[in-house]
Amino acid sequence: MGFALEAKKLEECITDRDKEAVTNAGGIDGLAQKLLTDKKLGLHGEQLTVAALAARKDAFGVNEFEYPPPKTFLSLCREAMNDVTVQILCVAAIISLSIGAGIKKHREEYGYLEGIAIVAVVCVVVFLQAWIDYVKEQKFRQLNSIKDNYTVKVVRGGEVHAVTAGDVLVGDLVELSAGDKVPADGIFVEGSKFKANEAAMTGEPLDITKDHSKDPFLLSGTSISEGSGRMIVVAVGSASQWGVILKTLIVEPSSTPLQDRLDVLVVTVGNFGVGAAVLTFMASLIRWIVHGARGGGWDALQVLEYLINSVTIVVVAIPEGLPLAITLGLAFAMRKMMADQNLVRRLEACETMGSATQLNADKTGTLTQNRMTVTNAFLGGVQYDAMPPLDVSDAYAAVLAESMAVNSDANLGRNENGTVDHIGSKTECALLQLCEDLRTSGEGRLAASDHRYAYVDLREAAVNQVVQRYFFTSARKRMSTAIAGAGGGGVRLHCKGASEIVVKLCTKMMKTDGSVAPLTPADLEAAEAAIKSMAMQGLRTLCIAYVDLANTAPGELKEDEAPEENLTLLGVVGIKDPIRPETAEAVALLRGAGVTVRMVTGDNALTAEAIAWEAGILVDGDDGLVLEGPVFRKMSQSEKESVAVRIRVLARSSPTDKLTLCNLQKSLGEVVAVTGDGTNDAPALKEADVGFALGIAGTEIAKEACDIVILDDNIKSMAKAVLWGRNVFQSIRKFLQFQLVVNVVAVSLNFISACAGISELPLAAVPLLWVNMIMDSMGALALATEPPPPDLMQRKPFGRAAPLVNKEMWRNICVMSCYQLSVCLVLLFAGKGLLDIPCAYDADGHRDCHYQTLRLNSVIFNAFVFMQVFSEINSRKITEVNVFENLDESPIFCGILVATIAVQAAFIEGVGRSVVGPAIGFMNLTAKEWVVCLVIGVVALPVGFIARHMPLEWFPGKTDSEADVEAQEAARRAVEAAAAEAALEKKDTAASLSSASTTTNHNGSAAAAAAMIVVHATTGDVHVSVPSEGGRPAAKKRWSKVKTMMDAYSAMTSPLTQTLRDSRSMARGRTPSIASSGSLNRDDLGLGLGSTPSEAGGSSS
């Protein structure tokens, strides 16, 4: 099969906007002929065979964009080597390896094995990080491919079909209407008031009219802003304008707010690890100098070992597992949310949904099934409770069917399983279905057809007669279509819209026998009663009318003003969109989770209220309000603020009302989620903390503006998004609780050992690296992939100011750290006697106490690992007592625990029995020692149980509720401080300036400044800086001194820690975030400690 036009020529035609090339091709008719398509039927006949479609793809390509190639595994390994600590360890290991292999004495003692072991462990860490980054990038690409594959309406064989954007081919006839995204480059065929917004491509915000004379080119990636029309596709995929631009783009996943907060927290925790490492090295070095000065010799290899041990402490102290945990948590949540029909477009939405307090939901499709059906009607003055009406005349049915078919942009499609697919407006689809039912029942003398719908025949009969369309807008609340030649000449205008508006434009009524009579007051009253009755049943009412303009020529119609007066009433239909079976359950679930659900709809108040009661949005005893948009708009600002949270139903609302409501709720401190489906919902979707676009009913502009696309338009999916959002935050907290215990105990143990003069530290370099690897990576994977507990939706939302480490977590961390450190210290200083570990004798009969130390260190190392294993089980819960709850539902967690124990056993018994084990700091254990280690580990469980029953007052930090109260108090103080400053500035002190007044003003300014310090400390430490009345000033003063010293220490160590942190960010393939500059000034430890020099300085000032 050959085509008369080449893909390159078509691409150049679009790129150059070359209208002459279109003319030379024979205009739109010639272009369609050369592309073997038709401007009415689209691809048809033989062009729809498999072979023809394949030939078309070979000639012009497919509509899939070529993303930049992903990073290879080896390139990710190179990036992982950017970590400064890894580089230092590698250099030190090479030096150790060189000395151990080059000097005979050390070579005979297998001194080179430690260097080999360090290099091996570093390689494992690097490969593991690279593998995780590789998998993460693949996940992002999968999500992007899903995001790019939206639904498009194409005409093939004369019928409209819904296909994915990736299936659009050159030659396809594509139907577009307001709000749609243009899937490929095309040439305008026909349309009405057809305008495109090309800001995405050209940056020009003005809407551009598309027609044959001025601008027939439609560009991929742009959107239709007004009207409807059709185009023939001429360039797809990489040959399209969007594809050409996309080739030059490299989109890197950006950090989320929670990742940035964790990066700051890494610096805070790392500050103390760096200090401990430096002090450990200095203590060891001083003892080495003293030992050498007393004649003990100057073994330089020991200094290298001290350096390796200190650098290893830094590696363990800086918890790089935190960013890994959030990456794993988000990836896990995104995958699960995808299974729950939530396509996450912006990662931060996963986190924010966990804090959502308000959900402003659309009614249609979200709370209901979005399967509109006409169930009741008031036709020709007669009430019908069953459809279709069987006693209307053919004349009446013919006009009614014509109005429903012509005055519509929707279509019906046939699925492969025989079901009918609604394409376009669901309300219009209900009318088209009624049109089909009229034909089936033999009403209206509609032509029979086995493969075409009735409305298609009616449209084709009138398609050349449509002279003007007046599209629906939120202001007009109606749509009209004018056709020529109907009703005996002139123009007939078909109108449909909001019943209470259109019925008042009517002066006549067509009876069911086809006669037309004046609309009497009694008829109007009956119509309004029918509207009210149907609305009270929860039905959406739509008034259908027409007017014959016999004396108006088609060219005399105004484009912007429809002649919608003196209409003839055909009837009012009641359309029901049945509530989803799961809606009531989902609303109840969200209410129990502290999320207020409200309905924001364009329906009238009666319809909306009926559905709200059925959905459980309105319940007995609730003080929720039902308001209408016009009433809400007329309220003063203070009145709006007073009702913004109490509203449960906002009926007859406009998109502007939704945006106003969203902004009001955010200003009141609420975390707001909004759903939207229309182009005009985009501002509210953007402004909300989390914007949900409807995947089925939503326009492409709404989907571009949102954070999450609900693929099934179901409110239950939103409830799942809240659940997984909370689970991400909870998983990070669980891992933090676990990780901080590991860091505190490991760093403290080696530091105390060095200060106590112990030459062989209990946790040597390789064992520490091993612990760091299995506890960071494996621990993050175990805790970040736990499914959400059932009671997670029964808690209050996490507040905006909630610290990452709250008081309950500090209680568990402090108690568990004290237990583990106490056990390790007892073993360190008394373990030889308690475990009866004697000194061995060498071949010459001399005592060899190195064996004794090595065996003891092996017990400490093994006991330490087992304490972490059972501490990981404890970390599954923060406040709950039963840590084994739902453990059987966490197969990944259980698998990782078993794998950790198995690998540790193999490490101790396998490597420990070889010559490698003693060379790197441990050996195999006896059965008794294994039992001791296991018992020590198991005891961590009752210790955790006891910790959860200890009073919170004994421990540092803040609870979530305390942090929330402090944030609100700080906001109040900020307002007061600003008001005080404004009052001071307004005073005119020039004439009465005196020493006393100056002092007074100075004190006033100081008071205001003090209040401002409180605001700054909101993200730092409010309750320390500003003691509350009736508190304990002495205790706060002492803590203030300690805090000042800690802030000063942080200011000294932060530059080094940030350098190490930034190198690790680059090693993970991420550019160091804005958090590095100290802008994320949060008190995530709940202790009021600065994380950066600027923060520390600010806190202590």
Side-chain angles (χ1 to χ4, degrees):
M1 177 187 296
F3 296 92
L5 290 173
E6 297 179 356
K8 188 66 177 175
K9 294 293 183 182
L10 291 171
E11 181 181 347
E12 291 174 355
C13 172
I14 292 290
T15 303
D16 300 335
R17 312 293 196 275
D18 190 355
K19 287 188 288 185
E20 187 178 346
V22 178
T23 304
N24 294 337
I28 192 65
D29 293 305
L31 184 68
Q33 185 178 0
K34 288 179 171 59
L35 292 177
L36 304 182
T37 186
D38 186 89
K39 66 177 187 178
K40 297 295 183 185
L41 303 177
L43 298 179
H44 61 286
E46 294 182 356
Q47 296 302 314
L48 294 176
T49 63
V50 175
L53 292 176
R56 192 172 292 271
K57 291 178 183 179
D58 291 339
F60 300 105
V62 294
N63 198 31
E64 294 178 356
F65 301 129
E66 293 183 3
Y67 286 95
K71 295 179 181 178
T72 64
F73 181 76
L74 289 179
S75 66
L76 291 172
C77 289
R78 286 196 298 270
E79 286 184 353
M81 287 298 296
N82 288 331
D83 191 336
V84 172
T85 54
V86 169
Q87 293 171 355
I88 293 174
L89 277 176
C90 287
V91 171
I94 291 171
I95 295 173
S96 174
L97 181 62
S98 302
I99 295 175
I103 301 175
K104 183 179 179 181
K105 175 186 175 183
H106 294 293
R107 185 169 64 250
E108 291 174 350
E109 296 175 353
Y110 305 103
Y112 54 84
L113 290 179
E114 182 175 19
I116 294 175
I118 293 174
V119 171
V121 173
V122 166
C123 288
V124 171
V125 172
V126 167
F127 288 150
L128 180 63
Q129 183 62 56
W131 176 76
I132 291 171
D133 288 342
Y134 182 77
V135 172
K136 180 180 69 176
E137 188 162 342
Q138 295 300 315
K139 289 289 183 185
F140 272 104
R141 288 178 178 271
Q142 289 176 17
L143 289 171
N144 277 335
S145 65
I146 295 171
K147 182 182 74 175
D148 291 336
N149 230 5
Y150 49 89
T151 302
V152 179
K153 291 183 287 186
V154 300
V155 179
R156 290 179 178 174
E159 290 194 353
V160 178
H161 299 269
V163 302
T164 59
D167 292 330
V168 172
L169 300 173
V170 169
D172 261 326
L173 183 63
V174 177
E175 270 199 4
L176 297 167
S177 56
D180 287 344
K181 184 177 179 180
V182 181
D185 294 345
I187 303 295
F188 173 78
V189 175
E190 62 183 3
S192 175
K193 290 188 176 180
F194 199 47
K195 294 183 179 180
N197 187 311
E198 298 182 351
M201 295 292 293
T202 65
E204 178 59 50
L206 298 177
D207 294 338
I208 300 173
T209 300
K210 299 295 177 179
D211 54 29
H212 294 297
S213 59
K214 293 182 180 179
D215 187 354
F217 302 104
L218 288 139
L219 308 181
S220 56
T222 62
S223 57
I224 304 305
S225 56
E226 185 179 334
S228 62
R230 292 180 172 185
M231 74 170 192
I232 287 182
V233 176
V234 296
V236 294
S238 300
S240 68
Q241 294 299 292
W242 186 249
V244 170
I245 292 176
L246 198 63
K247 291 176 185 177
T248 65
L249 299 179
I250 300 178
V251 181
E252 291 285 347
S254 58
S255 297
T256 69
L258 187 53
Q259 283 176 325
D260 290 338
R261 287 177 67 182
L262 286 172
D263 279 348
V264 174
L265 192 62
V266 166
V267 174
T268 307
V269 175
N271 284 339
F272 300 97
V274 169
V278 171
L279 292 176
T280 300
F281 179 76
M282 291 177 62
S284 301
L285 187 63
I286 290 171
R287 288 195 170 274
W288 178 78
I289 294 172
V290 171
H291 179 73
R294 291 178 177 176
W298 303 89
D299 187 357
L301 194 60
Q302 286 189 351
V303 177
L304 179 63
E305 187 174 341
Y306 298 154
L307 176 63
I308 291 175
N309 288 334
S310 299
V311 172
T312 306
I313 289 176
V314 174
V315 173
V316 175
I318 298 179
E320 75 276 6
L322 293 180
L324 175 61
I326 182 63
T327 298
L328 290 171
L330 287 172
F332 184 69
M334 287 174 70
R335 183 164 60 87
K336 291 295 184 180
M337 287 174 71
M338 189 68 196
D340 290 331
Q341 302 300 308
N342 286 293
L343 171 59
V344 180
R345 298 187 71 255
R346 295 179 178 87
L347 268 180
E348 56 267 27
C350 285
E351 308 160 6
T352 311
M353 272 311 295
S355 303
T357 58
Q358 304 290 324
L359 174 58
N360 301 328
D362 283 350
K363 175 181 73 68
T364 305
T366 306
L367 302 172
T368 59
Q369 296 179 16
N370 199 21
R371 192 76 177 180
M372 306 297 284
T373 305
V374 179
T375 58
N376 299 61
F378 177 80
L379 302 175
V382 181
Q383 179 69 40
Y384 292 90
D385 295 327
M387 290 286 109
L390 301 178
D391 59 352
V392 298
S393 66
D394 288 339
Y396 179 89
V399 176
L400 180 63
E402 180 186 79
S403 182
M404 293 187 295
V406 174
N407 192 23
S408 171
D409 285 328
N411 288 282
L412 300 179
R414 286 189 177 91
N415 295 322
E416 293 180 359
N417 58 8
T419 60
V420 178
D421 189 17
H422 287 187
I423 305 172
S425 167
K426 306 305 176 185
T427 302
E428 292 186 350
C429 287
L431 298 180
L432 297 182
Q433 188 64 56
L434 177 58
C435 183
E436 185 67 19
D437 293 340
L438 286 172
R439 181 177 70 172
T440 304
S441 62
E443 304 290 340
R445 297 188 299 274
L446 303 177
S449 175
D450 294 331
H451 62 279
R452 290 164 66 90
Y453 288 111
Y455 79 89
V456 177
D457 293 326
L458 289 169
R459 282 184 185 174
E460 288 191 353
V463 70
N464 295 322
Q465 305 172 30
V466 173
V467 294
Q468 189 66 26
R469 286 190 189 273
Y470 302 93
F471 289 96
F472 178 92
T473 67
S474 56
R476 282 169 29 83
K477 300 281 186 183
R478 56 191 179 273
M479 173 185 178
S480 296
T481 299
I483 59 175
V491 172
R492 171 174 286 178
L493 182 81
H494 288 290
C495 178
K496 71 171 186 289
S499 300
E500 62 273 18
I501 295 175
V502 176
V503 75
K504 293 178 181 177
L505 300 175
C506 298
T507 58
K508 303 174 185 177
M509 180 171 67
M510 177 178 276
K511 303 289 187 178
T512 56
D513 60 3
S515 63
V516 177
L519 183 69
T520 65
D523 292 332
L524 179 59
E525 185 178 345
E528 290 178 337
I531 293 170
K532 185 175 181 180
S533 174
M534 286 187 278
M536 291 181 68
Q537 298 174 49
L539 302 182
R540 171 180 290 181
T541 61
L542 202 66
C543 185
I544 302 174
Y546 76 98
V547 60
D548 284 329
L549 305 171
N551 299 323
T552 302
E556 295 176 0
L557 290 174
K558 297 180 180 179
E559 290 188 4
D560 300 323
E561 185 178 347
E564 297 163 338
E565 56 187 16
N566 297 321
L567 301 181
T568 299
L569 175 66
L570 285 171
V572 177
V573 294
I575 304 174
K576 184 173 184 179
D577 184 6
I579 192 170
R580 290 180 181 270
E582 61 273 16
T583 293
E585 180 188 354
V587 170
L589 186 64
L590 288 166
R591 286 174 66 95
V595 181
T596 301
V597 182
R598 69 180 45 78
M599 181 196 301
V600 183
T601 178
D603 272 353
N604 62 62
L606 287 174
T607 304
E609 185 174 355
I611 293 177
W613 280 105
E614 188 179 356
I617 294 174
L618 288 172
V619 295
D620 292 327
D622 191 6
D623 63 346
L625 300 176
V626 178
L627 284 182
E628 292 189 339
V631 177
F632 179 71
R633 288 192 288 273
K634 292 177 182 178
M635 288 181 170
S636 65
Q637 183 67 16
S638 58
E639 287 174 331
K640 288 179 180 177
E641 290 177 354
S642 65
V643 301
V645 178
R646 292 179 56 205
I647 293 174
R648 294 296 178 269
V649 177
L650 187 59
R652 292 179 60 202
S653 63
S654 67
T656 305
D657 295 332
K658 185 184 290 186
L659 177 61
T660 302
L661 185 63
C662 172
N663 286 329
L664 280 170
Q665 291 167 348
K666 287 181 67 178
S667 69
L668 296 172
E670 303 290 336
V671 180
V672 185
V674 167
T675 71
D677 57 359
T679 300
N680 45 14
D681 287 325
L685 291 171
K686 276 284 188 185
E687 191 65 28
D689 293 297
V690 180
F692 286 95
L694 306 186
I696 299 173
T699 63
E700 289 309 314
I701 290 181
K703 294 174 188 177
E704 286 294 325
C706 76
D707 303 297
I708 298 175
V709 179
I710 311 169
L711 300 177
D712 61 354
D713 293 7
N714 195 333
I715 191 173
K716 190 173 183 180
S717 300
M718 297 183 216
K720 292 290 184 67
V722 173
L723 176 65
W724 284 108
R726 292 188 178 187
N727 194 58
V728 169
F729 193 80
Q730 190 77 349
S731 296
I732 298 307
R733 279 188 159 180
K734 290 190 291 187
F735 180 71
L736 267 172
Q737 181 175 274
F738 169 70
Q739 179 71 64
L740 290 178
V741 171
V742 178
N743 291 6
V744 168
V745 176
V747 172
S748 300
L749 179 62
N750 273 10
F751 174 66
I752 293 172
S753 302
C755 293
I758 298 174
S759 57
E760 295 186 43
L761 297 182
L763 296 177
V766 173
L768 261 185
L769 288 174
W770 178 256
V771 167
N772 186 63
M773 183 180 68
I774 63 174
M775 294 306 158
D776 266 15
S777 303
M778 305 296 280
L781 184 61
L783 293 170
T785 55
E786 273 221 290
D791 62 344
L792 198 56
M793 290 292 281
Q794 299 171 10
R795 305 177 185 177
K796 289 184 177 181
F798 297 113
R800 291 183 187 272
L804 288 174
V805 185
N806 61 14
K807 181 170 289 217
E808 291 87 347
M809 294 169 64
W810 275 119
R811 176 177 62 185
N812 299 337
I813 292 168
C814 291
V815 174
M816 189 57 61
S817 298
C818 288
Y819 164 70
Q820 292 190 14
L821 187 59
S822 299
V823 168
C824 290
L825 291 177
V826 168
L827 289 175
L828 180 64
F829 294 107
K832 296 175 182 178
L834 292 174
L835 298 176
D836 192 24
I837 302 176
C839 287
Y841 291 89
D842 58 19
D844 299 328
H846 299 105
R847 286 169 58 108
D848 182 12
C849 289
H850 171 69
Y851 165 85
Q852 185 184 45
T853 302
L854 187 63
R855 192 166 206 87
L856 179 63
N857 286 352
S858 303
V859 173
I860 295 174
F861 167 47
N862 202 42
F864 179 76
V865 170
F866 271 90
M867 284 190 288
Q868 307 320 316
V869 168
F870 289 95
S871 175
E872 200 166 353
I873 298 175
N874 264 326
S875 297
R876 293 185 69 242
K877 305 292 180 182
I878 294 176
T879 57
E880 297 87 344
V881 173
N882 184 9
V883 296
F884 295 102
E885 184 181 9
N886 300 315
L887 186 61
D888 58 325
E889 297 178 7
S890 302
I892 297 178
F893 182 90
C894 296
I896 288 175
L897 279 188
V898 172
T900 302
I901 294 173
V903 172
Q904 176 66 13
F907 198 56
I908 290 291
E909 293 301 319
V911 180
R913 290 179 184 274
S914 67
V915 295
V916 178
I920 59 178
F922 65 91
M923 61 184 298
N924 62 301
L925 302 178
T926 64
K928 182 181 75 172
E929 291 162 351
W930 269 105
V931 171
V932 169
C933 294
L934 184 60
V935 170
I936 289 173
V938 171
V939 172
L941 294 175
V943 170
F945 178 84
I946 294 170
R948 287 169 172 79
H949 289 83
M950 290 184 177
L952 284 173
E953 293 77 14
W954 295 359
F955 300 93
K958 305 177 219 176
T959 63
D960 291 346
S961 58
E962 288 173 349
D964 189 46
V965 169
E966 287 182 4
Q968 295 178 12
E969 178 66 14
R972 183 186 66 80
R973 287 177 180 270
V975 173
E976 292 177 354
E981 283 289 351
L984 288 172
E985 289 175 359
K986 289 181 179 179
K987 290 185 177 180
D988 184 9
T989 57
S992 57
L993 188 61
S994 64
S995 175
S997 64
T998 302
T999 303
T1000 303
N1001 287 339
H1002 174 74
N1003 290 340
S1005 298
M1012 292 306 293
I1013 290 175
V1014 175
V1015 179
H1016 174 78
T1018 304
T1019 51
D1021 186 29
V1022 177
H1023 68 292
V1024 172
S1025 300
V1026 183
S1028 59
E1029 295 182 9
R1032 293 174 290 179
K1036 288 185 178 291
K1037 188 174 182 180
R1038 286 195 298 271
W1039 170 242
S1040 181
K1041 291 180 179 179
V1042 173
K1043 176 180 173 295
T1044 301
M1045 294 176 61
M1046 293 171 118
D1047 285 343
Y1049 168 77
S1050 295
M1052 289 188 296
T1053 56
S1054 283
L1056 175 59
T1057 314
Q1058 285 185 37
T1059 300
L1060 298 176
R1061 195 278 314 275
D1062 289 347
S1063 75
R1064 293 193 168 196
S1065 292
M1066 290 186 289
R1068 297 195 303 271
R1070 288 172 48 202
T1071 303
S1073 65
I1074 193 172
S1076 302
S1077 64
S1079 61
L1080 282 177
N1081 208 6
R1082 288 181 180 267
D1083 180 19
D1084 280 322
L1085 288 176
L1087 302 175
L1089 304 179
S1091 301
T1092 64
S1094 60
E1095 183 180 347
S1099 299
S1100 58
S1101 60

